[in-house]
Amino acid sequence: MTIDRAVFAFAGLVVLLGLALATWVHPYWALLSAFAGLNMFQAAFTGVCPAAMVFKRLGFKPGLLFK
């Protein structure tokens, strides 16, 4: 799996987790989904993604977006 695919999978997981927790635990958990969305938005413009840095250190193969 490349870093790009790992980042997308992780972002999707965080968004879905935030929505599930907001539904079943407390509405403030929706902020987790908002944080993930804001992080994806800034990564689109800056090319900097903390999750990509972590996946790179874990040994994932470079992708087209994150190297």
Side-chain angles (χ1 to χ4, degrees), residues 52-65:
M53 293 179 218
V54 171
F55 289 128
K56 182 177 182 177
R57 286 190 174 202
L58 290 174
F60 284 74
K61 294 180 285 189
L64 298 175
L65 301 174

Side-chain angles (χ1 to χ4, degrees), residues 6-20:
V7 167
F8 288 133
F10 181 70
L13 178 70
V14 170
V15 168
L16 291 174
L17 179 66
L19 290 174

Side-chain angles (χ1 to χ4, degrees), residues 19 21 25 36 40 47 57:
L19 290 174
L21 289 170
V25 178
M40 288 185 279
R57 286 190 174 202

Side-chain angles (χ1 to χ4, degrees), residues 3-60:
I3 295 173
D4 299 345
R5 293 181 129 199
V7 167
F8 288 133
F10 181 70
L13 178 70
V14 170
V15 168
L16 291 174
L17 179 66
L19 290 174
L21 289 170
T23 300
W24 293 310
V25 178
H26 195 278
Y28 281 163
W29 277 106
L31 293 174
L32 180 63
S33 295
F35 175 76
L38 286 172
N39 190 34
M40 288 185 279
F41 186 74
Q42 72 83 22
F45 290 101
T46 64
V48 177
C49 178
M53 293 179 218
V54 171
F55 289 128
K56 182 177 182 177
R57 286 190 174 202
L58 290 174
F60 284 74

